[in-house]
């Protein structure tokens, strides 16, 4: 009898162990999330799916076809992008046709669609009442001369505000799309604010030819490591999204700072970025 009890106990123990192993494996697989994000910070896959559900409640099913594609990991990676190249929706990569049907009055304006989708994304915010002051602020160590913002020292912090309502423009130290000038080796911190209540905007320092096309970034990378905020969601009634980037202007030359969202640079979110020899 004791042998039988021992056999039963062993069988139960083995069954529990197998259940734990299988359960752990299943739990681990379900909790796996694809990597991705943009320069303003990492947005988790769960957060992304939550926002998709708010913008398009019918997108959260598990069925097939385009009707649920936007909530899947592949769409998350396509929408978020990474620090090396632009997100797929900026470059016209495959997947764009899948969501045009749900854009409604947005037409082909991906800036408006993404602005709405990421309007409630987590991250730093600035009060809308503060935005004019932030755009007008002239930081220490910076001089304004003839529509140029000149960085005098080896480091500086600039606030860049997109779309203040006057026109499509980046406002820096009270200037609309000024030429930013600094010496090679300057460490620059950019506090980027999207004050547009309708569209997503970003901020990139890139090669000068980039701003002339409809999709300026295409497969290009920023001119300096870290010199990129791919996009921020549209501003709300009381607050605006903020992202902080830091980079070193390593090589002398003439560059452009611009919004990488298609058509936005051509509309006016574009300016000169001049790095002079030491």
């Amino acid at each position: 009898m004791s042998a039988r009890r021992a056999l039963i106990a062993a069988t139960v123990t083995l069954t529990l162990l197998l259940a734990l192993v299988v359960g752990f494996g299943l739990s681990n697989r379900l909790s796996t999330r694809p990597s991705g994000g943009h320069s303003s910070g990492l947005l988790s896959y769960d957060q992304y799916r939550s926002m998709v559900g708010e913008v398009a409640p019918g997108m959260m099913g598990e069925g097939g076809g385009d009707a649920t594609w936007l909530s899947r990991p592949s769409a998350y990676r396509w929408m978020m992008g990474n620090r090396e190249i632009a997100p797929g929706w900026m470059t016209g990569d495959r997947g764009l046709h899948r969501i045009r049907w749900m854009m409604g009055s947005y037409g082909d304006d991906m800036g408006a669609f993404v602005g709405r989708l990421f309007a409630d994304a987590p991250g730093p915010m600035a009060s809308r009442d503060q935005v004019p002051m932030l755009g007008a602020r002239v930081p220490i160590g910076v001089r304004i001369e003839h529509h140029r913002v000149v960085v005098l020292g080896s480091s500086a912090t600039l606030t860049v505000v997109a779309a203040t309502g006057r026109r499509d423009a980046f406002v820096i130290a009270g200037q609309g799309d000024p030429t930013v000038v600094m010496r090679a080796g300057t460490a620059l911190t950019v506090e980027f604010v999207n004050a547009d209540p309708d569209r997503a905007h970003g901020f990139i320092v890139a090669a000068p030819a980039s701003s002339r096309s409809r999709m300026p970034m295409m497969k290009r990378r920023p001119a300096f490591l870290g010199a990129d905020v791919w996009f921020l969601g549209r501003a709300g009634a009381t607050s605006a999204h903020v992202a902080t980037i830091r980079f070193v202007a390593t090589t002398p030359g003439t560059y452009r700072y611009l919004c990488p969202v298609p058509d936005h640079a051509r509309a006016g979110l574009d300016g000169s970025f001049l790095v002079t020899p030491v």
Side-chain angles (χ1 to χ4, degrees):
M1 196 71 173
S2 59
R4 185 179 178 184
R5 288 179 179 173
L7 179 60
I8 293 174
T11 301
V12 171
T13 301
L14 180 59
T15 301
L16 289 174
L17 287 174
L18 287 174
L20 286 172
V21 170
V22 173
F24 175 79
L26 181 61
S27 174
N28 194 42
R29 185 175 65 185
L30 291 176
S31 64
T32 299
R33 295 290 179 249
S35 61
H38 52 95
S39 302
S40 62
L42 180 66
L43 180 70
S44 75
Y45 180 52
D46 286 335
Q47 291 168 330
Y48 169 80
R49 280 175 58 88
S50 175
M51 292 190 304
V52 170
E54 291 175 5
V55 172
M59 299 294 290
M60 300 308 292
E62 297 301 328
D66 292 347
T68 58
W69 178 80
L70 193 60
S71 68
R72 295 176 179 170
S74 57
Y76 166 74
R77 290 188 292 265
W78 179 81
M79 187 68 74
M80 295 297 297
N82 57 53
R83 288 197 67 94
E84 295 184 356
I85 61 173
W89 60 271
M90 287 186 183
T91 65
D93 287 348
R94 63 181 180 176
L96 182 59
H97 69 281
R98 292 175 177 262
I99 62 174
R100 277 182 172 154
W101 65 270
M102 66 169 290
M103 292 171 65
S105 61
Y106 297 115
D108 283 338
D109 189 349
M110 284 299 294
F113 176 77
V114 175
R116 180 189 176 203
L117 178 62
F118 287 85
D120 295 324
M125 306 288 284
S127 166
R128 287 290 296 273
D129 294 337
Q130 295 177 321
V131 169
M133 178 188 68
L134 294 174
R137 183 172 60 190
V138 179
I140 297 174
V142 169
R143 182 173 65 228
I144 307 300
E145 52 181 45
H146 308 297
H147 203 62
R148 289 157 60 104
V149 174
V150 182
V151 177
L152 303 175
S154 59
S155 64
T157 297
L158 295 180
T159 300
V160 179
V161 178
T164 61
R166 299 181 305 176
R167 62 182 180 91
D168 282 347
F170 286 124
V171 177
I172 307 172
Q175 310 292 307
D177 294 331
T179 297
V180 177
V181 184
M182 65 193 63
R183 290 190 293 271
T186 298
L188 188 65
T189 297
V190 174
E191 296 175 345
F192 174 66
V193 183
N194 181 16
D196 192 328
D198 299 313
R199 295 172 295 169
H201 291 298
F203 178 86
I204 307 287
V205 179
S210 299
S211 62
R212 304 311 175 197
S213 67
R214 176 177 180 270
M215 298 177 181
M217 291 311 297
M218 293 303 290
K219 300 294 185 179
R220 291 183 176 89
R221 290 165 172 77
F224 310 108
L225 180 64
D228 59 295
V229 179
W230 292 117
F231 63 93
L232 292 178
R234 68 185 186 186
T238 60
S239 59
H241 291 280
V242 180
T244 300
I245 61 173
R246 297 176 177 85
F247 63 94
V248 177
T250 53
T251 307
T254 301
Y255 304 91
R256 307 295 295 182
Y257 62 86
L258 54 90
C259 177
V261 176
D263 287 327
H264 290 191
R266 291 197 308 185
L269 289 166
D270 170 47
S272 296
F273 191 91
L274 178 62
V275 181
T276 63
V278 177

